Amino acid sequence: MDYKKTNERFFKEFRYKTDIIMKKLIPYGCQWIDKEDIKGVVKVLKSNWITQGPKVREFEEAVAKYSKVKYAVAVSSGTSALETAYAVAGINPGDEVITSPLTFTATANAIVRWGGKPVFVDIQEDTLNIDPKEIEKKITRKTKAIVPVDFAGHPCDYNKIRRIAKEHKLLIIEDAAHALGSEYRDKKIGNFAHLTILSFHPVKNITTAEGGMILTNRKDFSEKLKIFRHHGIIKKPEKGGWYYEIENPTFNYRLTDIQSALGLSQLKKLDKFIKKRREIVARYNKAFKDIKEIIMPTEKNYVKSAWHIYVIQLRLDKLSVDRKRIFEAFQKKGIGVQVHYLPLHLQPFYQKKFGYKKGDFPIAEKYYQRAITLPLFPKMTNKDIERVIKTTREIINFYKK
Ligand SMILES: Cc1ncc(COP(=O)(O)O)c(C=O)c1O
């Protein structure tokens, strides 16, 4: 092990975290935990059930009710939700699954986990979501499912995707890790795919620290999901209260009651969180309207986005430096910007294993060269928002041609 490098990395991370604690650095995303959340968690900690108890079911029912779907199955993370959903959808070795290259690696990794091949399709320039026009060109006899990703919380164009899926008898598994609470044509996310997955990581729209959920309107899927998350155990009470059988061995993907209590309490604040996110976005949009050097994110009139992240794109032809220099300038000024994401077809694994190469998805690549995610989370103060706006103006002014 290279101890010098490890130490350097540790101190860099330590300084970053200290800066957040000292409020010098505004991160790109952050949870909002209040007294009610803590009270809910402590109550469970003092009870007899800290896992596999009643809070899990209560949380599932509350999310299902909020999203107006029939069934919800809680699991240990968004990644577990993807693995579980893909398994239940029957993704097997040799199957092809169509998805967007512009997503977190978990979306595609979980396809590989079951031996499938992620077949990437380029994105739309404005919504940054999978381009429905391109999907049909990639359908083969091996295609099993389409996995649209609601990037940044903006729902994909589900009328078009559903038409394609129906015609080719494909399943839709929606990666809505960014999109709990988002709406497509006045209906909440969860009602457009056969299976919809959510993540409750701290930067997401609500949090359980780690956690995830799968939404579905199909009873058979909900039953299979519950068996899959719990070792493949099928209870047979007619043979005795203790008795179960295993037909297909799986793993432990369970969420705890402690986390579910946090989720339940967070869910009560989701609409308030989304309202706050949308207010910050409106302020950014107003403040950046006249800056010719940046492109602001889009929200189509047929959606209402929960705005998980706010990504600007730099017009590099109007700037004297590249994205890396601008990114570093933000970081130096204490604005914890990020980049979401390096398109997956550019990752070494996906290139080596499936032969993807630079140039395959030009719109995703162009986006990647120019993208910067600015801080956006409900707990941002007026001062934080003003600081992000002022710093963005200063940096762009400094580097403009
Ligand atoms: C689009 C997308 N899918 C899946 C995941 C995985 O979720 P988790 O971190 O809860 O495992 C994430 C998390 O960042 C994500 O952004």
Side-chain angles (χ1 to χ4, degrees):
M1 192 196 278
D2 184 342
Y3 285 103
K4 192 162 170 256
K5 255 199 181 149
T6 311
N7 270 347
E8 269 170 21
R9 201 173 323 125
F10 172 80
F11 283 115
K12 212 167 149 192
E13 241 168 57
F14 179 76
R15 265 199 309 275
Y16 184 82
K17 288 197 171 141
T18 314
D19 280 352
I20 293 178
I21 292 161
M22 303 297 286
K23 300 218 184 311
K24 276 195 274 177
L25 189 127
I26 306 173
Y28 84 88
C30 186
Q31 72 277 9
W32 187 343
I33 305 285
D34 66 13
K35 278 190 200 147
E36 290 305 311
D37 295 328
I38 295 166
K39 224 162 86 184
V41 169
V42 170
K43 205 167 157 197
V44 169
L45 280 169
K46 288 179 175 169
S47 78
N48 289 332
W49 293 96
I50 57 173
T51 192
Q52 292 180 272
K55 283 291 164 198
V56 179
R57 178 154 335 144
E58 230 183 282
F59 183 36
E60 289 171 338
E61 283 170 2
V63 177
K65 190 167 170 218
Y66 175 89
S67 307
K68 296 197 170 63
V69 299
K70 286 194 186 139
Y71 309 101
V73 178
V75 288
S76 54
S77 68
T79 305
S80 303
L82 284 164
E83 282 195 17
T84 309
Y86 292 162
V88 162
I91 306 301
N92 285 313
D95 289 341
E96 293 180 357
V97 179
I98 293 175
T99 191
S100 169
L102 184 62
T103 181
F104 182 56
T105 192
T107 314
N109 290 2
I111 297 168
V112 176
R113 171 87 162 101
W114 304 129
K117 175 184 176 185
V119 174
F120 298 122
V121 164
D122 213 347
I123 56 170
Q124 295 174 314
E125 206 162 343
D126 50 2
T127 66
L128 307 171
N129 284 332
I130 193 164
D131 188 342
K133 281 202 311 295
E134 297 298 311
I135 293 177
E136 249 175 332
K137 297 181 194 162
K138 296 289 177 73
I139 295 174
T140 71
R141 278 190 14 250
K142 293 184 185 165
T143 310
K144 196 69 164 275
I146 304 170
V147 178
V149 181
D150 302 319
F151 184 79
H154 190 296
C156 296
D157 198 343
Y158 284 103
N159 281 357
K160 291 186 184 151
I161 294 172
R162 280 161 66 99
R163 213 174 300 134
I164 298 166
K166 199 168 170 202
E167 198 184 320
H168 296 271
K169 298 192 172 55
L170 302 174
L171 287 171
I172 304 174
I173 304 159
E174 175 181 349
D175 186 335
H178 297 184
L180 173 62
S182 292
E183 291 171 21
Y184 175 76
R185 299 190 189 278
D186 300 323
K187 260 189 176 174
K188 286 263 188 311
I189 277 308
N191 290 286
F192 308 102
H194 299 93
L195 295 148
T196 300
I197 78 97
L198 306 171
S199 161
F200 306 128
H201 179 272
V203 295
K204 299 298 186 331
N205 304 347
I206 62 167
T207 191
T208 59
E210 299 288 353
M213 206 171 268
I214 306 113
L215 308 177
T216 182
N217 281 319
R218 273 181 50 173
K219 192 165 187 251
D220 58 334
F221 278 156
S222 98
E223 283 166 359
K224 285 183 186 166
L225 290 165
K226 283 184 185 159
I227 293 168
F228 192 91
R229 77 168 163 194
H230 185 43
H231 308 278
I233 285 176
I234 304 169
K235 292 202 168 124
K236 302 253 163 123
E238 67 278 11
K239 295 193 179 177
W242 72 93
Y243 189 85
Y244 62 79
E245 286 174 5
I246 306 292
E247 282 167 16
N248 291 305
T250 62
F251 314 99
N252 173 359
Y253 288 98
R254 296 188 303 265
L255 190 76
T256 65
D257 280 56
I258 304 167
Q259 292 166 302
S260 300
L262 179 54
L264 266 168
S265 172
Q266 286 266 300
L267 188 67
K268 290 187 190 140
K269 295 183 276 275
L270 176 58
D271 285 340
K272 191 179 90 181
F273 287 166
I274 294 175
K275 186 165 172 271
K276 186 72 198 293
R277 283 179 182 277
R278 294 182 63 82
E279 279 166 13
I280 299 168
V281 168
R283 280 178 71 177
Y284 282 169
N285 284 347
K286 192 165 169 225
F288 301 147
K289 206 169 62 218
D290 59 332
I291 307 182
K292 294 188 304 293
E293 291 77 16
I294 64 179
I295 302 165
M296 289 180 301
T298 307
E299 186 180 35
K300 291 283 194 191
N301 59 12
Y302 54 81
V303 308
K304 186 177 171 202
S305 175
W307 285 103
H308 162 54
I309 47 176
Y310 186 88
V311 184
I312 57 167
Q313 292 181 65
L314 306 169
R315 287 186 192 271
L316 295 173
D317 55 326
K318 296 184 189 296
L319 293 160
S320 57
V321 291
D322 63 7
R323 191 265 315 276
K324 186 163 178 283
R325 285 285 291 281
I326 303 234
F327 181 96
E328 285 160 1
F330 272 107
Q331 292 272 345
K332 265 192 208 128
K333 296 215 170 234
I335 309 294
V337 289
Q338 252 302 347
V339 173
H340 295 91
Y341 304 92
L342 171 65
L344 291 182
H345 71 286
L346 300 178
Q347 289 288 0
F349 171 81
Y350 288 98
Q351 297 203 339
K352 259 188 248 150
K353 173 98 178 158
F354 300 109
Y356 289 113
K357 56 186 186 317
K358 196 159 182 256
D360 281 351
F361 305 108
I363 301 174
E365 286 174 35
K366 186 172 164 198
Y367 156 85
Y368 170 67
Q369 296 298 330
R370 320 194 294 186
I372 288 194
T373 305
L374 296 183
L376 172 60
F377 53 95
K379 213 177 181 182
M380 283 179 88
T381 61
N382 253 332
K383 232 168 112 186
D384 292 336
I385 300 164
E386 284 308 318
R387 210 176 117 201
V388 174
I389 291 172
K390 188 165 164 276
T391 312
T392 307
R393 283 193 168 284
E394 279 169 9
I395 292 173
I396 299 295
N397 264 332
F398 186 78
Y399 286 115
K400 77 178 173 194
K401 270 186 186 161

